[in-house]
Amino acid sequence: MTIGVPAPALDGFQGELLTPRHADYDTVRRIWNGSIDRRPAFIARCRSTADVAAAVVFARRHGLPIAVRGGGHSIPGYSVVEGGLMIDLSPMKGIAVRAAARLADVDPGVLWREFDAAAQAEGLATPGGEISDTGVAGLTLGGGIGWLSRLYGLAADNLLGVELVTADGDVVTADDDTDPELMWGLRGGGGNFGIVTRFTFRLHPVAPAWAGMVMYPGELARDALHAFHEAGERAPRELSLVAALVSAPPAPFVPAEAVGRPVVGVAAAYFGPHGTGQELTAPLRGLGRPLVDTFGVTGYAGLQRMLDDANVPGRQQYVRSDFLKGLPEEAVAALAHHGTHPSSPLNQVLLRRLGGAVADRDPGATAFGHRSADYMTMIAATWEDPAEDPERHRHWVSETWNSTRPWAHGTYVNHLGDEGGGRIREAYLPGSWSRLTRLKARMDPDNVFASNQNIPPAGA
């Protein structure tokens, strides 16, 4: 129901155009990061590629800045724009799994939990992220690192083709035969080159894994990080590893006396024989008596939901992230210290082991180029009350992040906040940046798609 003046008509648009007077406007404009509070002039809720094209033409005709929402997980809030047009792809939910060919066609409003469920119904999957309500679109276009990445590469490495709406509102298709340069840029270059309205992915057989998490008191943080590092150094590519420094949540499986106290967790998944997985994870589970040990045989869709409870939508968020080369004792000590002295009980210091299939491809083969990194950090301050002064949380993030900067080896574009052009360039190899700007100049010379980690057109 629309209240008051109706929204203007969009030629050829069959979706729903919301104005600020619409009853659903405030719900739809909200995104994962609760600290973002922007009010677009219009929200175009698209149901088809034709709707997306019509929305782009409408925005350009009226000089409206564009933001594109898939899953709405953009950390700096680029999914929504102040005073412009929010192109909302979330109603576009089509998933077609072609099991015999091990392929899937996925619409841009699909979340990973939806894609995982459809693919797992056939015993298949493609590498996704770590939070199940993240959008397939944004994660893939930035690279896409998750539980399967050491075994099968990035989400972007498994992207075979796209349908895309250009900055002129035209609809094109591309794959490695028809437009290899565009595909190169879409594999890590984010939403700079158009709005992808269909993704075609390669799928892989993925059976239930030996997986889970072990949690220890914060006093054992350094010991646990050492065990995590040692396990990663000798891990086969079938073993995926994540360490987390958090405060113990009030979950049924957490002892009451530990709730709210700093803890260290190590999560792992082994995609192979379960007995081998038990052997490889035994050192992680043997550092004394753990507070929690959830290891067992887990289906992939369940594994993908393991970290959801720590990443509830609508909370205030401030994040910094880097790739690291190595994990020396100084870095371990710094992460252990800061991670066990958080500014909020909802804060997280996450450390993911990389390598394996991520490192197999040549660094220049995709726009995502930091393939030789050993680890990825994600340092997140999270708090509930929007009225709370954010400065102490930002200070904690900055101190923690700076403590590992000596070993930084680039950064991950999907984890960037609103950090400026210099940090965006850190997400790409020096030789790739000029290539990206040339592709931007070809696909979007007027920088219509600028609400993102923006790559300016060459010559701009």
Side-chain angles (χ1 to χ4, degrees):
M1 177 181 70
T2 304
I3 302 171
V5 180
L10 278 69
D11 295 341
F13 184 77
Q14 300 297 313
E16 186 178 20
L17 189 66
L18 278 57
T19 70
R21 293 179 177 271
H22 194 284
D24 296 332
Y25 173 85
D26 281 324
T27 299
V28 176
R29 73 182 177 89
R30 295 292 184 186
I31 58 174
W32 173 78
N33 186 348
S35 66
I36 307 301
D37 185 19
R38 299 183 187 136
R39 301 182 65 84
F42 305 103
I43 301 173
R45 304 208 73 203
C46 300
R47 298 191 181 106
S48 68
T49 298
D51 284 349
V52 176
V56 171
V57 170
F58 171 81
R60 297 208 66 179
R61 181 183 302 141
H62 295 283
L64 295 170
I66 291 173
V68 182
R69 174 188 177 137
H73 257 260
S74 167
I75 290 169
Y78 292 144
S79 311
V80 60
V81 62
E82 184 70 30
L85 176 66
M86 179 184 190
I87 298 180
D88 181 15
L89 308 176
S90 63
M92 298 175 67
K93 293 289 193 183
I95 306 171
V97 175
R98 294 178 270 158
R102 292 186 181 172
L103 298 173
D105 300 310
V106 181
D107 283 0
V110 172
L111 306 180
W112 278 104
R113 64 169 172 252
E114 296 164 340
F115 183 17
D116 292 336
Q120 277 285 279
E122 303 291 344
L124 303 169
T126 207
E130 298 170 340
I131 310 302
S132 74
D133 69 348
T134 304
V136 169
L139 185 102
T140 299
L141 294 174
I145 301 170
W147 290 107
L148 286 172
S149 292
R150 283 177 49 83
L151 186 55
Y152 294 129
L154 309 173
D157 293 336
N158 291 274
L159 177 64
L160 302 180
V162 299
E163 176 185 78
L164 176 143
V165 175
T166 71
D168 293 325
D170 296 327
V171 180
V172 301
T173 59
D175 57 27
D176 287 326
D177 293 325
T178 60
D179 197 337
E181 189 68 3
L182 176 57
M183 293 302 299
W184 174 86
L186 292 173
R187 293 179 176 125
N192 276 282
F193 311 114
I195 302 175
V196 178
T197 52
R198 187 186 67 244
F199 298 79
T200 298
F201 289 101
R202 179 189 300 112
L203 299 175
H204 306 271
V206 177
W210 174 259
M213 176 183 65
V214 62
M215 185 183 292
Y216 297 99
E219 307 89 80
L220 292 179
R222 289 177 69 166
D223 292 341
L225 290 180
H226 282 304
F228 164 80
H229 173 59
E230 290 169 6
E233 287 290 284
R234 58 177 181 269
R237 62 185 53 212
E238 292 84 2
L239 182 62
S240 189
L241 293 160
V242 177
L245 294 151
V246 297
S247 299
F253 56 84
V254 175
E257 64 273 14
V259 171
R261 299 182 62 185
V263 295
V264 58
V266 180
Y270 183 75
F271 299 97
H274 299 156
T276 304
Q278 291 183 55
E279 294 174 10
L280 290 171
T281 56
L284 305 174
R285 305 167 68 200
L287 302 177
R289 185 176 180 181
L291 297 169
V292 173
D293 186 341
T294 68
F295 274 90
V297 178
T298 304
Y300 178 68
L303 174 65
Q304 285 283 79
R305 296 191 298 270
M306 183 190 296
L307 303 178
D308 283 3
D309 288 346
N311 292 274
V312 176
R315 290 171 172 168
Q316 314 297 297
Q317 304 281 350
Y318 186 76
V319 176
R320 287 290 183 269
S321 176
D322 273 324
F323 295 120
L324 302 183
K325 195 70 175 173
L327 191 68
E329 174 60 32
E330 301 97 311
V332 168
L335 291 172
H337 170 73
H338 292 293
T340 54
H341 294 82
S343 64
S344 161
L346 299 174
N347 287 7
Q348 302 177 60
V349 174
L350 301 180
L351 191 63
R352 173 172 281 282
R353 177 72 193 195
L354 301 175
V358 175
D360 285 348
R361 298 191 74 171
D362 184 275
T366 61
F368 180 102
H370 292 298
R371 294 183 176 273
S372 63
D374 299 311
Y375 296 94
M376 178 175 70
T377 62
M378 184 174 182
I379 299 154
T382 304
W383 63 103
E384 295 277 11
D385 186 358
E388 188 175 336
D389 183 357
E391 285 310 309
R392 67 187 180 93
H393 303 301
R394 292 175 178 172
H395 179 73
W396 176 85
V397 169
S398 296
E399 277 202 329
T400 309
W401 176 66
N402 280 320
S403 73
T404 61
R405 285 292 284 168
W407 304 281
H409 189 71
T411 192
Y412 182 34
V413 72
N414 279 347
H415 285 173
L416 281 176
D418 191 1
E419 300 172 47
R423 281 286 282 164
I424 297 171
R425 292 189 71 154
E426 284 187 48
Y428 301 104
L429 300 180
S432 295
W433 183 253
S434 60
R435 187 175 173 184
L436 285 163
T437 64
R438 291 193 301 271
L439 179 61
K440 178 73 170 182
R442 170 164 78 92
M443 296 299 299
D444 184 15
D446 298 321
N447 207 7
V448 171
F449 302 119
S451 183
N452 48 36
Q453 301 295 351
N454 195 236
I455 296 167

